[in-house]
Amino acid sequence: MSRTPSEDKKSPGFLGSPPFSGLFRKSPRTRNHTLDGPDEQRRQQQHPQSAAESMPTLLNFSPPPPLKRATKTFPRSMSLASGSEVSTLLNPVSPPFLTHKLDGEPYDDMDKGEGSSSKREGSSESSGSLDSVQIAAITVLLSKPTKRAVGLKLFVKEKEFLGLDYRYEHIKGDPATPLLWSLQPYLTLRRGTSFDIHVRQRRVWPRDPLLAKSSLNVNDAIDALQALGSQDDATIHQYILREDPTVVVDLVPDLQANLNMASEISRKIKSVIKSLGGSREFLEKLMAYGSAISEILLEQDKCNRVVVDLADRMARTLSFILDVQQFARLAQLKRALEDVRPLMQDTTNFILKYANRTMKEKAIDTAAFRDDIDSLKKKFDIFEEQFDRGLELQAGMTVEEILGHLLSTKDDQILQELRPKGLEVTRPVSGCLEGTRTEALRWIDEWTDDFNAHNILWVNGFPGVGKSSIAASVITNLRTRNRLGSRFIFEREKATASTPNVLWRNVAYDLAQRYPSIRRAIVERLKDEDVDVETSNVKSLFHELIQEPLLAVEREAQENGSRPIPKGRLPVVVIDALDECGGRDGQRSGHRTSLLGTLKRWSRLPKHYKLIVTSRSEADIKKALTGISDPLPLSAGAEVDDNASADINLFLRKMFAKIAKAYLGTLPPNWPGPEVCDELTRRAAGLFLWATTAIAFINMGDPVQQLDLLLHGVGLGDVGFLYAKVLDVSFKDPTADVLQDFQKIVGAVVFAKRPLTTQECATLLPLSSPTMLDFVRKGLQSVLGSNASNALPDVLRFSHQSFVEFLLSSRCSTPFRIDETTSHKNLAKSSLRIMDQQLRFNIAQFPDSHIKNAALVDLDYRAETLIGSPLIYAARFWMDHVQMCPWDEDIFQKVKVVILDKLLFWFEVLSVVGEIYGASATLRSLLKWCRDDADDEFIEFVEDALKFLDAFNTVMSQSLPHIYISALPFAPKSSKVAQHFRAQFPRLVCVEDGKFAEWPRVVFTVDEHEHEASINCAVFSPNDQSKFIASGSNDKTVRVWDAETGDLVSGPMDEHTDYVGTVAFSPDGKQIASGSDDGTIRIWDTESGEEVQVGGGGGLRHHKGVVTCVVFSNSGLFLASAGYDGLIVIWDMDSGSEGYGNVVTVFGDHGGAVTSIAYSPDDSLLASGSVDRSVWVRDALADGESLEPFGDHTNQVNCVVFSPDGKRVASASEDETILIWDLEETADREQPFRLEGHTDGVTSIAFSPDGTRLVSGSHDGILILWDISTGNIVCEPFTGHRGGVTSVAFSPSGHRILSSSCDKQLLIWDADCTDEEPYTLTPFLDIPAHQDNVKSVAFSPDGLRIVSGSDDETIRLWDAETGEPINDVRFHREDLAGHHEHRFPQPPSHLQGVDVVAYSPDGAFIASGSGSSDGEVCVWDSATGALLQPVLRGHVGGIISIAFLSDSKHLVSSSYDKTTRVWDVESGETIVGPLTPYPEGWITSAAVSPDGTKIASATNDFAIRIFDAESGEQVGEALEARKEVINCLTFTPDSQWLVSGSYDKASQLIRVWNMETREMKWDLEKAHEKHILCLAISPDGRFVASGSADETIMIWDLETKEPVLGPLEGHTSTIFAVAFNHDGTRLVSSSEDETIRVWDVSSMNDIRGCFVGARPAEFSDNAGYQQGWIVKSRRQESESLLLWVPPWCRSGVWWPRNTAVVSEVSVQLDLRTFVHGESWADCYESGVGH
């Protein structure tokens, strides 16, 4: 096995048996396991032919058939560009071929019909045998456009081998542009190697990057190339792997055997390639001829060493050359740089010539080349001398010139995804007036060159002292010096757009644009799909885009012994107005807190990476920057210094001079004189804002009068007076309309969630006059931000925050004072009005329901032109304004109109702009705002809308049309949203049967995440404001998720080397502890995912073996851990203590492994549970003295928890019970409160925060919620996991429950339950479906009934036509009375599940076998369900196979105990056996021939042995199956052929054996993607059906081995059994998904209907499931969306050919009126009432 199997609640029995113990790695913590084989690609099966006939063929010249619209698939006459002069195009499924040159002309010798064929065959014979093939390039032609970049991942032998860069050519150019990836050097594949290509788009959330998968059969490709005959090695053959999208590989025959490369030169070549940096031409050519150089070196070492040394020197210099070249000005340096390119080209051409000659002739005259080598070397020596001299004299150049030399367009495309939107317009800031602030600017200039100083400079001061002007001047200066790394201005009015995420993305983008070395590092990080640039985790973003790239540049420079960036160009980043981060929330803002955290991280970077920040001197900023920055305070008020005053005085004199000049002849040139300037300087008190506003005020009217007003009434630094004067002068004697509109406009400017444009204001705000907006703008021009032309700005924002503060303060006169509530009320009403007026169905004119939003290239343009920014603003922010208002009936009525009439249309807009996940937060805020005043009916509707979002926000975010097409039909019957809107959409799918009555309790599922194996543990963060989930998995990683959306926040944290079995948050939620099977405990930073170094690094180590549990004390000062070594270790977690990370104490009282530990709420007690079945409670603070151990469990204890009040301890055990112990009552310790309801071991429990309820999870896959006071079950159990539950947890609020499972899922459940009556568990047999894996099924001989056996311990009968249960026949064993009586009022059929069932040929009996170690076999009367005989006992291992002989009197069973027995049904005696086919091993599968004469047994020595059923003697030699594990066997009806299903490391195989000759008739490789677990032969012997862990069924022609039907999809998990009925018209299958499906296979070409009405042509045999989507083509998932099915009814949906589906929720679809695709909008019928 190449992968660790995922553990599950139940599993195929053979996996738990000894023969498989070596094949499947098991975690010691989990007892149950399931099959999960390697993930391989399907391939098309070929008809068995001769070697020449079976090869893939070349495409002919026939034109493609006409299509409905322009095709983007390969035209059959098309040849693609390749790296060779000659190319052929191969396709495995095309007719006889022609060969083409690239110019399209056929070869003369290949265009002659049959003659050419013989010529090829002759060539092939002389060409020798090929053992490998080389891939030179891969080409992809997209069938439909996508606006996402497209990349490739290559898999060799099922393991990821290489990721190829993303391509962007199709986005801005022609979408049909072929995307070409050249492989340099070529990739060599040998025979027997599997090779798969994944075509992927850049990841978005929900993460769904895979566009297509295709596989290359290397053997077929080699045979095809060999049959083409001997051709030049350079010939490239283009081989088509698939269409829609088309994937083509360029193949080169690999005739050169095993090139050996000298190790010394290998290192040099590697160093050359690594150092080349951006020189694409040099890099590609050198790599292409790397093998040739290596071969030359072996033969001509001396000469070649000089060649490679020269190339190595060039490469080491080239990376630095690229930086210098961008700003070279000096003539000498420019000339050197101009000369180096031809020199490198000459060197590359020489290597090319040198390599080619050696490859052809294998010998050269070294002396003939020595002169050329010496000449090249001499030229490079001269270049180095000129370069070094020129660099010393180089002074620098402008950034604009640098930007003209950026490296590559491809990297630009990648970086565009990084660049934040909405930063194009920023608040204009003028620099300092010339001659002012010279001292401060000089000091800053010196600081930027001082690399011994801190790397952060904090410019701080009161509002208005000129911080931003200084920043603007610094930016100009840095730009002139080529040192400006990036600039960013926080703006309070842009709080939603101006965030720390945007800041660091902008900084990363700017650094990448200006510094090639940093650029390369950042681009490499972005190519990693785990870097989410949209993440809210700012620490993680900073780490990925700033910290790691800069450190990578440093490391690379150290390795190469070079400078990463020239000293004179080291970057300086400037952040202005840091105090405005977080908007009006200020210090309370989470944005601001996270930003300050990243500044601390910046301080740890090398000191030459400089950061300048400006801000007010506020407490949180001062605290964060003290000690890590150099402060530069700007004085004001009474403490103003002389320099500041002089600067202001100079500013005033220059400004007055300009005014005087404007009034030439009226005002004297020196007006108003030095005394006035001095007085105004004194009054400015160091505030440049006061001075600039004063000048603006004077300019508003007659300068003499305005100045007089200033001099008579303005106090020291009184900016407020100036602002008041601005308002008085601009709006003298305002009318009521003017004041009202002023309030609306200015209130919107101040309180809008982002700056509004004039057009948005005009649309949003109902003003009294069309000209009012311009009137107010002109009146406020002196305080509004302005552009360079001094024209009125389009974006409305005030030039300084102090004016906003003045408008909100009591100093502002009442008519102009802005009231926050009134402003929000205006914006709320305006937003609701525009939503009511403009929201409509299909507002973006979405063209096709078969595609996702991401595939619509012009979606942004549609948003801009069809929706418009005013409506987008309203849709996003209406509730932000409503919630700031007190209850208002008028607003509420407007809200009701939008919610009740336009809810789905609102969802449309949010889907288009990517904000659908924000709708839940909006509606939750709405409920909070109106719950006390709104009517109950509306409250219930909004609550239902929240559930609608929880269920469908994934699909609504992915594809707009499916708000209607998928969400409405699958909403439960009780959904008020669906009831309200359904009538308006009459042409949707109708869920005829199986529609849920109520919403499921699952809020959302994290099942498309990165965990690649079972999730062992998951916990909520303790602080409800954090809203994080941490999980640990068998993939050896820890990950952190957003608890509201399921987005990955940080991780994977992958330092562990074995399974992660336990995780815990620190009490403040900032850190996570994880324990692993590798014996270590590691501490992680929650948000960044970085490991916190504790105890010397490398994790905390004390346990010997598996760490089972970690838990922080509630004080956070200690961490307790437990392990399989029986120890409990207490660690010091006080980061301020000397013992941080050290062991405090160790307890070892348990008599076995400790599985769980818990601290009491006050940290005084520590509880522990163990495999020794005991629970201990000890003193956690002193010497660990323990109470008497509690020992009432009968099996190991899996979990212990304290109640929130600390008075009780609850324990969960493998004995299927939960015990609750009262610590205050001694009697209750002896008789604990017992909870029983699970049917398997209880793995995890958790108390609700209020202590009234307890949730439990179990191996049985369900969660139960208990009332602690009564012991009653509160509500129906939570079902949704397909594997055992590994952990459960309550959210801090108590409204959510989290569970993890072996099925690789995290589920979030609604914990609120309003049921007043206790819930009684429903007996399994009263439920019309199995409640666990259905392991085996069989038709009755007459085909009327189906018998099934399940892990739910029952055998059941079903009507084969309808799928209804036959309840009058039940199979009960009285000896099992009392077993799980809450689920089995009457006893079950077997303990631990039923693995196999079989009908007798006469239909009288049913036999069954258990998969448990008791090895029990039962024979039942099929008519009554009574046991025919007492249980047949003899086997001591689980039963893997059971079958009647043809006389129905004898029964054959095979077991994991290595034996096969033949039983007499009447006597119950063993009459043959026990047979032991392979004493040293075990039986893996068995079958009985229909004629009753033969028994076939497959064993773990990869052999099949045949026994005589009567004598028990082996017949003939064993059938050897190479090294393949054989999972299943079956005979054909005539008993002449045996069919086996098996797997090896590379393939899933079906083989057919002749029982007479013992020869194999044929074998079929890669019949499935995962293990084949079951086979069935049709009654006529023509077909074999196979079921697989890949969730599909295939039907094959036994004569030709061609697939005749399939893959049939519908099951959502592993398929365990398949069987044909008596006439071969029906096939039944059973699965791990707990369902049984009956398929109509009467015709292989025509689907006869499982549907109520007409079936759309797209829903055919070719349809499949892709991440919840029913897609019309499995090869075009991204472009063929039919329906999205929610998880709760996915496994019960009827698929094509189903005639019955046995499922707890059997979902049948009525598709008669269903419209979709380009006609999807016809589903809506305007004007229909609700």
Side-chain angles (χ1 to χ4, degrees), residues 1388-1517:
S1389 308
H1390 280 273
L1391 287 176
Q1392 300 300 320
V1394 182
D1395 269 25
V1396 288
V1397 293
Y1399 259 105
S1400 62
D1402 62 7
F1405 307 125
I1406 293 172
S1408 62
S1410 169
S1412 66
S1413 58
D1414 59 21
E1416 295 178 340
V1417 176
C1418 295
V1419 181
W1420 314 81
D1421 186 305
S1422 64
T1424 66
L1427 270 175
L1428 184 67
Q1429 293 287 345
V1431 176
L1432 305 183
R1433 292 185 170 90
H1435 288 297
V1436 292
I1439 308 301
I1440 62 171
S1441 175
I1442 198 165
F1444 284 92
L1445 297 184
S1446 55
D1447 60 6
S1448 297
K1449 296 179 180 179
H1450 298 92
L1451 181 69
V1452 180
S1453 62
S1454 295
S1455 167
Y1456 290 126
D1457 65 4
K1458 310 180 185 180
T1459 69
T1460 297
R1461 294 172 179 262
V1462 181
W1463 307 83
D1464 183 287
V1465 172
E1466 292 188 3
S1467 68
E1469 299 293 328
T1470 299
I1471 59 173
V1472 178
L1475 308 177
T1476 308
Y1478 180 51
E1480 289 78 21
W1482 298 269
I1483 299 172
T1484 59
S1485 183
V1488 175
S1489 63
D1491 63 9
T1493 62
K1494 305 180 191 69
I1495 301 172
S1497 290
T1499 51
N1500 73 324
D1501 62 345
F1502 317 117
I1504 303 171
R1505 294 173 176 82
I1506 311 299
F1507 295 88
D1508 184 283
E1510 184 174 352
S1511 66
E1513 297 294 325
Q1514 182 171 334
V1515 180
E1517 296 295 323

Side-chain angles (χ1 to χ4, degrees), residues 309-318 321 340 343-344 347 373-387:
D309 281 343
L310 176 60
D312 187 31
R313 287 175 59 200
M314 287 186 174
R316 289 183 181 279
T317 309
L318 186 57
I321 289 173
V340 75
L343 174 60
M344 289 188 171
T347 306
I373 297 172
D374 290 342
S375 175
L376 293 171
K377 183 175 181 298
K378 183 177 180 180
K379 288 180 181 179
F380 190 70
D381 290 340
I382 294 172
F383 160 74
E384 284 189 315
E385 181 181 352
Q386 291 177 335
F387 180 78

